[in-house]
């Protein structure tokens, strides 16, 4: 076991978009910062995920850093929906351009983090035993980073190659001549299925719940588009922050009922042709009004019927059991058309229940499907998985795992009552996965950096979310989701995809704009809802920052 006795100001866990910006921002502010990263390179989810077809479904010009003029002007995105390799290259470019790597410890997975309440310091222990100490910890572990490994009968007996989409091998898989099966038809499955079908001898898709899928209509950016963004990016980025999703969608202003039926249909069609998630933003009440929702859902089902030649297969691909938008809508290319291929079979578990996985294939109540390569596209233990994977506690007796036994509790997603001097970036209780993740990560990092500067200027060594403020915020987060149809789906937003996980709607859906205004107001009021502490006796003997007042 080795011990790193240098007391840092801040340890950031994770070197994805959030952790890298955290390092840059806090270093610029004069803090002594170290990032600790489990992977061997920067990138976070864009480092680990490398399955065929992986792209981001937010426009590349928006899914990138806004804080740096240099990065914005020097990087040229090639396509509307960038491939994983391009996004990863961009993150590596940013890390090099900002000279971040010298303060990142790669290949180091944190196993536990303990706050010594007397000393006012965090001690982090890595798998393997190395320890790190800091006054503050920023968890930039990402809401979508821990794979969801499902319990499927017989899965352990499978004798072929088993791959989880989140842990795709670094070397490309050779699927030619192979029988391949994919379990899962969320965003990941929808992206990889058309490409796997082109390569495999036969592809079997196992679908538990059909996804609503819209066409990406990906395209190369032309020079004029790039020039427009370079010239106007500050205004464009600011405008995005003032929207509810943090993305420059064309937001419909009116409920569907106020629009003439023929105009509704024409607008849906126009948005469908435009591609990406546009078709979901036509009416202001998609997630609040069942009739509006059914109107859009029926439009999308009609598109499935038009794309899939066999009506029986088309029917299996149509979602009816949950309102559109209550599970993440998938953005794909030729997804439905892929089911017209002769080498693709669909197992719809609703009409063809699974018996078990066998060493050489999948047995359902209706038949047997031979499989050489089995791919789990079963998603993530989202939002809480990476935080709870670390044993986070205080010497005073608080443990995150106990505190979140019934689901996550946080104040603004940023702070957790009982855990002083710890911040979370895009945590549960913030817009997080319900927004442009890069934009939200930047916001949270800036808020945390401002907060740490505030504490330093005033000599306050500790800050902790107040329990009553946290409860009030969680009530507000719950109420925001209850006011919508979002609780009507067994989604990963609610933890429904992971066996035994508490069912609780986790992201804040009141809007990025509303959320950021609230965070600004909290900061302007001297971090209202946080308890800001004076130094304890133990801290005064060992600490650099001494509190002038309580
Ligand atoms: O995971 P998912 P994902 N037996 O949880 C099925 C982001 N993302 O990796 O719906 C059989 O959505 C499960 O079925 P059901 C994006 O935010 C973005 O696809 O639970 N099936 C579902 O079909 C996204 O939402 C991008 O009934 C089982 C699938 O596996 C999030 O990541 C690309 C099963 C899992 O779908 C997660 O997406 C990729 C079981 N035991 C990801 N367990 C882009 O930007 C689970 N399933 C485009």
């Amino acid at each position: 076991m080795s011990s790193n006795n240098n007391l840092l100001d801040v340890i950031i866990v994770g070197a994805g978009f959030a952790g890298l910006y955290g390092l840059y921002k806090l270093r610029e502010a004069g803090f002594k910062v170290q990032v600790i990263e489990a992977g061997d390179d920067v990138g976070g989810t864009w480092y680990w995920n490398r399955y065929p077809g992986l792209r981001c479904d937010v426009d590349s010009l928006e899914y990138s850093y806004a804080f740096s003029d240099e990065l914005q002007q020097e990087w040229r995105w090639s396509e509307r929906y960038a491939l994983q390799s391009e996004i990863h290259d961009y993150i590596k470019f940013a890390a090099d351009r900002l000279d971040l790597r010298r303060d990142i410890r790669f290949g180091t997975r944190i196993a536990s983090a303990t706050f010594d309440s007397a000393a006012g310091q965090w001690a982090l222990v890595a798998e393997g035993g190395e320890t790190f100490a800091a006054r503050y910890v920023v968890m930039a572990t990402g809401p979508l980073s821990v794979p969801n490994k499902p319990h499927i009968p017989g899965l352990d007996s499978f004798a072929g190659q088993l791959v989880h989409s989140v842990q795709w091998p670094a070397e490309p898989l050779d699927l030619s001549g192979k029988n391949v099966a994919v379990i899962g038809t969320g965003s990941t499955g929808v992206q990889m299925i058309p490409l796997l079908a082109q390569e495999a001898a036969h592809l079997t898709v196992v679908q538990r719940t059909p996804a609503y899928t819209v066409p990406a209509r990906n395209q190369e950016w032309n020079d004029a588009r790039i020039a427009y963004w370079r010239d106007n990016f500050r205004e464009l980025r600011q405008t995005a922050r003032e929207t509810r999703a943090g993305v420059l969608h064309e937001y419909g202003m009116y409920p569907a009922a106020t629009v003439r039926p023929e105009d509704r249909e024409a607008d849906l069609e126009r948005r469908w042709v435009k591609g990406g998630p546009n078709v979901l933003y036509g009416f202001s009440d998609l997630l609040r009004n069942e009739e509006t929702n059914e109107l859009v859902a029926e439009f999308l089902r009609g598109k499935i019927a038009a794309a899939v030649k066999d009506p029986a297969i088309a029917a299996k691909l149509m979602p009816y059991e949950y309102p559109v938008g209550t599970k993440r809508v998938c953005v794909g290319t030729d997804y439905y058309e892929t089911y017209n291929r002769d080498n693709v079979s669909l197992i719809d578990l609703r009409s063809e229940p699974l018996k078990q996985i066998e060493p050489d294939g999948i047995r359902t109540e209706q038949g047997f499907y031979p499989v050489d390569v089995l791919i789990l596209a079963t998603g993530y233990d989202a939002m809480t998985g990476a935080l709870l994977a670390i044993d986070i506690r205080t010497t005073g007796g608080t443990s995150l795992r106990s505190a979140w036994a019934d689901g996550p509790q946080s104040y603004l997603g940023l702070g957790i009552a009982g855990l002083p001097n710890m911040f979370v970036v895009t945590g549960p209780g913030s817009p997080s996965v319900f927004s442009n993740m890069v934009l939200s990560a930047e916001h949270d990092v800036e808020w945390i950096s401002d907060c740490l500067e505030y504490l330093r200027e005033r000599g306050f060594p500790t800050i902790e979310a107040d329990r009553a403020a946290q409860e009030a915020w969680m009530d507000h987060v719950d109420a925001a989701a209850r006011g919508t149809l979002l609780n009507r789906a067994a989604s990963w937003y609610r933890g429904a995809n992971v066996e035994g996980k508490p069912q609780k709607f986790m992201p804040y859906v009141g809007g990025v704009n509303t959320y950021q205004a609230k965070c600004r107001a909290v900061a302007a009021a001297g971090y209202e809802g946080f308890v800001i502490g004076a130094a304890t006796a133990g801290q005064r003997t060992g600490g650099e920052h001494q509190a002038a007042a309580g």
Side-chain angles (χ1 to χ4, degrees):
M1 182 192 281
S2 67
S3 169
N4 188 333
N5 286 323
N6 294 335
L7 180 64
L8 296 153
D9 290 319
V10 188
I11 290 175
I12 298 174
V13 185
F17 269 109
L20 292 179
Y21 182 39
L23 170 55
Y24 173 77
K25 182 80 184 153
L26 291 168
R27 204 161 73 178
E28 288 288 292
F31 293 101
K32 198 171 152 197
V33 192
Q34 166 101 60
V35 171
I36 301 176
E37 165 58 50
D40 291 328
D41 201 352
V42 296
T45 202
W46 298 105
Y47 164 82
W48 295 104
N49 277 273
R50 10 175 128 112
Y51 60 80
L54 173 55
R55 295 175 182 275
C56 181
D57 59 9
V58 177
D59 275 19
S60 54
L61 291 161
E62 295 190 60
Y63 192 81
S64 40
Y65 288 128
F67 69 87
S68 158
D69 285 4
E70 289 76 26
L71 295 182
Q72 179 68 34
Q73 301 302 333
E74 289 172 24
W75 184 263
R76 190 199 191 283
W77 289 104
S78 65
E79 292 178 276
R80 176 181 183 185
Y81 297 122
L83 274 169
Q84 174 268 343
S85 53
E86 189 173 7
I87 298 172
H88 194 211
D89 283 348
Y90 170 79
I91 299 173
K92 289 189 279 188
F93 157 76
D96 293 334
R97 183 72 177 73
L98 303 172
D99 188 22
L100 300 179
R101 289 178 189 273
R102 63 185 157 91
D103 287 322
I104 306 173
R105 175 70 67 88
F106 291 107
T108 306
R109 186 177 287 280
I110 295 299
S112 71
T114 306
F115 185 72
D116 182 331
S117 309
Q121 288 176 22
W122 281 96
L124 277 66
V125 183
E127 287 175 2
E130 194 175 2
T131 62
F132 302 86
R135 298 192 176 287
Y136 300 96
V137 169
V138 175
M139 301 302 292
T141 40
L144 296 168
S145 50
V146 173
N148 172 33
K149 293 188 176 151
H151 300 282
I152 298 176
L155 188 58
D156 290 343
S157 75
F158 182 65
Q161 186 170 10
L162 182 67
V163 179
H164 197 295
S165 61
V166 182
Q167 293 160 332
W168 200 264
E171 295 303 315
L173 278 183
D174 180 10
L175 302 178
S176 54
K178 304 237 170 85
N179 287 319
V180 178
V182 179
I183 300 179
T185 54
S187 298
T188 298
V190 162
Q191 284 188 325
M192 66 165 69
I193 283 164
L195 295 175
L196 299 177
Q198 286 170 26
E199 213 190 320
H202 193 90
L203 179 70
T204 303
V205 177
V206 182
Q207 169 188 272
R208 185 166 68 179
T209 314
Y212 291 95
T213 299
V214 296
R217 305 202 198 285
N218 189 34
Q219 57 187 271
E220 286 186 7
W221 290 131
N222 61 28
D223 290 343
R225 179 77 175 182
I226 297 290
Y228 173 75
W229 263 81
R230 285 189 176 153
D231 292 347
N232 298 287
F233 98 97
R234 292 231 151 267
E235 297 74 22
L236 291 164
R237 292 307 182 90
Q238 185 52 36
T239 307
R241 278 195 172 204
E242 287 155 17
T243 65
R244 64 175 194 265
V247 181
L248 294 171
H249 292 302
E250 183 195 344
Y251 295 90
M253 303 288 284
Y254 305 105
T258 66
V259 182
R260 289 188 313 176
E262 58 273 31
D263 292 344
R264 286 181 210 155
E265 196 68 23
D267 190 52
L268 285 171
E269 193 58 46
R270 182 183 64 79
R271 288 170 177 271
W272 173 264
V273 170
K274 209 170 156 190
N278 272 296
V279 70
L280 305 172
Y281 289 90
F283 308 116
S284 60
D285 58 345
L286 177 80
L287 290 177
R288 293 179 181 279
N289 182 300
E290 283 184 40
E291 282 168 27
T292 300
N293 196 284
E294 183 52 23
L295 179 90
V296 177
E298 198 45 33
F299 175 85
L300 297 176
R301 290 184 205 116
K303 296 296 183 191
I304 300 172
V308 181
K309 287 184 188 143
D310 180 338
I313 296 179
K316 288 179 182 173
L317 291 166
M318 290 180 192
Y320 281 96
E321 47 276 88
Y322 60 98
V324 58
T326 58
K327 281 165 110 85
R328 182 91 147 27
V329 172
C330 304
V331 178
T333 298
D334 294 337
Y335 175 66
Y336 293 120
E337 291 76 2
T338 296
Y339 293 93
N340 295 330
R341 295 175 66 105
D342 292 336
N343 71 333
V344 176
S345 316
L346 175 65
I347 302 175
D348 176 23
L349 295 178
R350 298 167 306 171
S351 55
E352 185 177 355
L354 184 87
K355 274 190 148 168
Q356 62 199 23
I357 308 285
E358 299 188 353
D360 54 351
I362 298 172
R363 189 166 300 281
T364 70
E365 289 191 356
Q366 267 126 286
F368 178 77
Y369 300 79
V371 180
D372 306 310
V373 180
L374 179 57
I375 297 169
L376 300 177
T378 47
Y380 301 84
D381 180 356
M383 304 213 70
T384 56
L387 293 164
L388 293 173
I390 300 173
D391 183 9
I392 298 173
R393 55 180 64 241
T394 69
T395 52
T398 304
S399 134
L400 186 67
R401 289 175 184 164
S402 323
W404 284 12
D406 297 326
Q409 307 279 332
S410 79
Y411 180 43
L412 303 172
L414 290 161
I416 300 166
L419 295 174
N421 293 8
M422 174 174 279
F423 298 94
V424 182
V425 183
T426 60
S430 77
S432 184
V433 290
F434 238 75
S435 71
N436 175 353
M437 284 297 294
V438 180
L439 180 144
S440 283
E442 282 193 336
H443 164 270
D444 292 4
V445 162
E446 285 160 13
W447 190 94
I448 292 165
S449 178
D450 289 349
C451 176
L452 292 182
E453 287 192 63
Y454 175 95
L455 297 175
R456 182 176 60 190
E457 278 162 20
R458 289 161 181 77
F460 293 140
T462 60
I463 182 164
E464 179 187 336
D466 172 62
R467 201 165 293 279
Q470 174 170 290
E471 279 168 18
W473 178 251
M474 292 319 295
D475 287 347
H476 177 60
V477 170
D478 288 344
R482 271 201 313 276
T484 70
L485 306 172
L486 283 161
N487 279 313
R488 299 260 298 272
S491 67
W492 60 257
Y493 297 134
R494 299 178 58 219
N497 62 329
V498 177
E499 260 179 58
K501 190 164 171 169
Q503 302 276 300
K504 184 177 196 300
F505 199 88
M506 295 183 281
Y508 174 58
V509 295
V512 164
N513 41 7
T514 313
Y515 171 78
Q516 295 195 1
K518 167 75 179 171
C519 291
R520 277 195 299 278
V522 163
Y527 295 90
E528 188 176 40
F530 286 88
V531 180
I532 293 181
T536 62
Q539 288 164 264
R540 269 195 291 273
T541 46
E544 294 162 22
H545 310 304
Q546 297 195 1

